[in-house]
Amino acid sequence: MRLFFSFLVTLTLTSCASDPASIAKVEEHAVAMPDRFSADAAMDVLLEGGNAVDAAITAQFVLAVTLPEAGNLGGGGFMTLVMEGKPAFLDYREIAPEKATRDMYLDDKGNVKPYDSLFGARAAGVPGTVAGMWAAHKRYGTLPWQRLLQPAVTLAEKGFEVPKALADNVVWYLEKLEKRGLKGNFSKYFGHMHANEVFRQPELAETLKRIQQEGRAGFYEGETAKLIDAYMLKNDGLINKADLKNYEAAWRQPITVEWQGYDVVTSPAPSSGGVAVAQILGMFAARADDIEQLEHNSAAYVHLMAEISKRVFSDRATYMGDPDFIDVPQAALIDPKYIESRAAEVNLTAISDTDAVKPGLAESEDTTHFSIVDKWGNAVANTTTINLTFGSGVVVEGAGFLLNDEMDDFSAKPGVPNFFGAVGGEANEIQPHKRMLSSMTPTIVLKNDRVKLVTGSPGGTTIISSVAQSILASLYFNLDAEQAANAPRFHHQLLPKDTLRVHEGFDATMLQALSEMGYTLDKRRFGDIHLIKHTPAGLEAASEKSGRGKSMVVGKDKRN
Ligand code: GLY
């Protein structure tokens, strides 16, 4: 079947629904969450009359307690929203502290020091999460802030039963620290955690109570700011009280692209993810019909996507960074004519030479994501991170929360890969107050102004592949939510050369065909999709089975 190629770039907010009467209510609530504590707490808020943003705020704070690998107070994230039919985007990404310098992670010989941007107080950017949730509540919240924080306070104070996967991750992380000779206080805070036993976090509970009572100031000023400042001074960190007080979350215009009859609402810079997903979807639409009977996860499909991704990641390395500091040519990168010209370079039968793929115009890994749709048809896609699993591995003494190691998402030295193997140049070099480039891509797809799909995933640069493939699986190959979340995925990012990272579960003959084409197969799982799909029968919600997520759809008065 030939599909109509339609890819119109619209950087205006008015391209989607503007007539509230046209926004159909879905009569159901759906959540797709990375763990059961956040799922239950978010659904309780929705059933109490809160909207998708209220539920998102509760989920974000609960995850700071129950999913310390990535949930956070000490990190940041992006939230893509469609509220009363209007798309919006909240950037609560961390920023480099005032005292950060371009070469701060280089040794005397100009080489990148291996762990300085990944571990310890010096690896942390100024956290954005609390300011982000505060800004979201100010603009869209309907239930009181204190109510929304209560589940997190209770879970920190009274404790929660530790899932086995979390206890296993703590053991794995402690062994990793030991092996690398990295010293900090992670063991003091998390070393006594045991699977299926109740785990309490009294210091974190006090911090959450300050945020509950004082709002934004409960984190960026007063006692919490004092504790962060003191921890930084004692541990060679850079963040100070002024950095905290001056941090601001930013409302930005989301990228909205029309794709095959849908409006895809996704992340603008400082995420590279929205541009990348728009490029992938656009190039896919331009070339899919050149392959007869293109099947989901066939060798032809994987090769087409790898060819596309090569070009996407070449552009990412060169052009993307913080738009408050550099001129990101976002409109040019997603211009339909440009995308068609890049698509024309794709070789459908053989691997393009990596060195010949140039920019076209002139994360163990972690992070977590959740998706929410409320019964009024509002949607939130929220991706949040402290970068790698357990972030910088150190806890602010007295305040009880882990700090991010987001500084590694900057380019420490041009051309030298970061943890995720991503290279960058001047566009993403370290500067005070600058936001480091991200791949987080919370995305909402609309059809006739109604929410059709809400999706997102963790996984550093692999996020881009997970999100693009979840959209294609759901809307091009018409898989249901469960199938789309759990279908095996693959990732290619230009470097390492001709390497495809692949999930378990692919057909062996198909993998053999890719090997014979010249691809190196790196069999390592990545990502953790949480998606919600609207079908004629109602909402479907799915969380990837390999994770510890929970998703549910609740009708008028029952849970299922
Ligand atoms: N820390 C991973 C990302 O923002 O892409």
Side-chain angles (χ1 to χ4, degrees):
M1 185 180 61
R2 286 193 78 79
L3 286 166
F4 174 60
F5 169 47
S6 154
F7 186 76
L8 176 73
V9 177
T10 56
L11 286 171
T12 61
L13 295 183
T14 50
S15 60
C16 294
S18 52
D19 170 15
S22 73
I23 303 154
K25 295 185 173 55
V26 290
E27 301 295 347
E28 290 171 316
H29 301 295
V31 298
M33 294 280 159
D35 76 2
R36 65 187 169 89
F37 305 105
S38 52
D40 291 343
M43 189 52 85
D44 286 346
V45 167
L46 292 169
L47 291 174
E48 211 175 294
N51 65 19
V53 168
D54 292 320
I57 293 166
T58 291
Q60 176 83 36
F61 284 110
V62 165
L63 290 168
V65 180
T66 61
L67 199 131
E69 298 102 315
N72 65 83
L73 297 182
F78 297 137
M79 186 185 282
T80 303
L81 313 92
V82 174
M83 298 296 290
E84 297 187 358
K86 294 191 182 60
F89 182 82
L90 178 61
D91 166 0
Y92 60 97
R93 182 74 164 161
E94 301 92 327
I95 60 169
E98 167 76 29
K99 285 196 219 136
T101 54
R102 192 191 61 181
D103 298 337
M104 63 187 276
Y105 298 118
L106 304 186
D107 64 18
D108 296 346
K109 297 195 176 82
N111 297 322
V112 177
K113 293 188 257 177
Y115 297 120
D116 280 26
S117 62
L118 287 169
F119 180 81
R122 212 176 171 76
V126 183
T129 292
V130 176
M133 295 307 108
W134 186 245
H137 189 255
K138 280 227 150 342
R139 189 175 278 200
Y140 295 112
T142 58
L143 295 189
W145 173 258
Q146 286 78 3
R147 153 69 186 94
L148 301 180
L149 271 281
Q150 192 53 48
V153 171
T154 306
L155 286 160
E157 194 163 46
K158 306 232 180 298
F160 67 96
E161 200 176 293
V162 175
K164 184 173 177 322
L166 169 54
D168 289 349
N169 279 341
V170 167
V171 170
W172 164 82
Y173 190 68
L174 283 167
E175 283 170 7
K176 198 174 84 160
L177 294 180
E178 172 87 29
K179 210 157 78 192
R180 295 184 177 164
L182 297 170
K183 300 210 183 325
N185 58 11
F186 185 82
S187 172
K188 174 176 153 193
Y189 280 88
F190 295 99
H192 57 288
M193 182 184 265
H194 298 289
N196 307 320
E197 289 183 9
V198 172
F199 179 68
R200 295 185 182 82
Q201 299 171 84
E203 286 181 7
L204 181 60
E206 290 309 309
T207 303
L208 284 162
K209 280 187 210 165
R210 286 192 289 276
I211 298 166
Q212 186 182 35
Q213 293 314 316
E214 298 160 39
R216 188 193 181 287
F219 184 86
Y220 294 95
E221 296 174 47
E223 180 65 12
T224 314
K226 210 169 99 188
L227 290 166
I228 298 171
D229 187 60
Y231 186 76
M232 289 285 152
L233 280 172
K234 213 170 122 191
N235 293 282
D236 198 28
L238 298 185
I239 300 169
N240 60 28
K241 282 187 188 164
D243 285 320
L244 293 166
K245 193 159 183 197
N246 294 333
Y247 180 88
E248 295 285 357
W251 290 101
R252 299 191 190 274
Q253 196 149 287
I255 289 177
T256 304
V257 293
E258 195 186 317
W259 175 75
Q260 304 209 315
Y262 298 104
D263 292 305
V264 180
V265 183
T266 188
S267 322
S271 173
S272 60
V275 165
V277 166
Q279 288 190 334
I280 290 172
L281 295 178
M283 282 194 247
F284 177 86
R287 296 306 301 269
D289 293 345
D290 295 339
I291 301 169
E292 217 175 308
Q293 290 192 320
L294 184 61
E295 278 177 31
H296 185 239
N297 280 352
S298 58
Y301 171 65
V302 175
H303 171 65
L304 169 63
M305 293 287 280
E307 280 285 299
I308 290 170
S309 300
K310 263 197 158 95
R311 287 154 180 90
V312 166
F313 276 90
S314 174
D315 281 354
R316 180 191 191 276
T318 307
Y319 303 118
M320 299 300 297
D322 183 348
D324 293 341
F325 281 73
I326 62 152
D327 208 3
V328 179
Q330 192 165 272
L333 288 168
I334 55 176
D335 183 290
K337 284 206 178 65
Y338 173 67
I339 288 184
E340 277 194 80
S341 72
R342 288 295 259 175
E345 296 168 13
V346 163
N347 185 334
L348 293 177
T349 53
I351 302 175
S352 301
D353 177 13
T354 301
D355 293 337
V357 176
K358 302 286 177 217
L361 294 180
E363 341 125 35
S364 116
E365 57 217 14
D366 231 299
T367 294
T368 189
H369 172 87
F370 58 79
S371 299
I372 303 175
V373 175
D374 68 24
K375 67 177 179 181
W376 299 284
N378 301 309
V380 168
N382 188 78
T383 312
T384 185
T385 189
I386 40 176
N387 199 24
L388 302 194
T389 308
F390 300 116
S392 65
V394 291
V395 175
V396 176
E397 299 273 350
F401 62 86
L402 281 159
L403 286 163
N404 69 81
D405 58 350
E406 221 71 64
M407 293 296 281
D408 190 64
D409 275 348
F410 278 118
S411 171
K413 185 179 173 182
V416 176
N418 73 353
F419 177 84
F420 296 107
V423 289
E426 273 172 35
N428 191 33
E429 70 183 13
I430 303 172
Q431 282 177 258
H433 308 303
K434 190 178 180 182
R435 283 166 156 87
M436 54 298 280
L437 184 61
S438 174
S439 299
M440 290 186 289
T441 319
T443 297
I444 300 172
V445 182
L446 306 177
K447 175 85 177 173
N448 299 332
D449 305 331
R450 294 179 63 176
V451 171
K452 180 71 189 166
L453 187 76
V454 187
T455 186
S457 175
T461 47
T462 66
I463 291 172
I464 290 167
S465 298
S466 292
V467 171
Q469 287 166 45
S470 73
I471 296 171
L472 289 167
S474 304
L475 302 179
Y476 185 90
F477 295 104
N478 281 320
L479 303 189
D480 65 28
E482 205 63 49
Q483 292 167 328
N486 290 295
R489 295 189 301 275
F490 51 90
H491 174 69
H492 179 63
Q493 60 174 41
L494 188 67
L495 296 171
K497 188 175 177 316
D498 303 336
T499 299
L500 274 172
R501 194 162 158 189
V502 289
H503 280 194
E504 291 291 319
F506 279 107
D507 175 68
T509 320
M510 181 284 246
L511 291 181
Q512 181 63 25
L514 290 167
S515 283
E516 282 165 14
M517 281 186 86
Y519 285 109
T520 302
L521 302 178
D522 172 9
K523 292 184 183 166
R524 279 184 300 143
R525 203 178 173 84
F526 57 85
D528 186 31
I529 294 257
H530 301 279
L531 70 76
I532 298 173
K533 183 176 179 181
H534 191 211
T535 73
L539 293 173
E540 294 174 350
S543 292
E544 215 170 309
K545 287 197 173 82
S546 58
R548 60 180 195 260
K550 175 172 173 178
S551 41
M552 53 183 151
V553 178
V554 173
K556 288 183 185 63
D557 54 10
K558 70 172 175 52
R559 287 188 181 211
N560 58 19

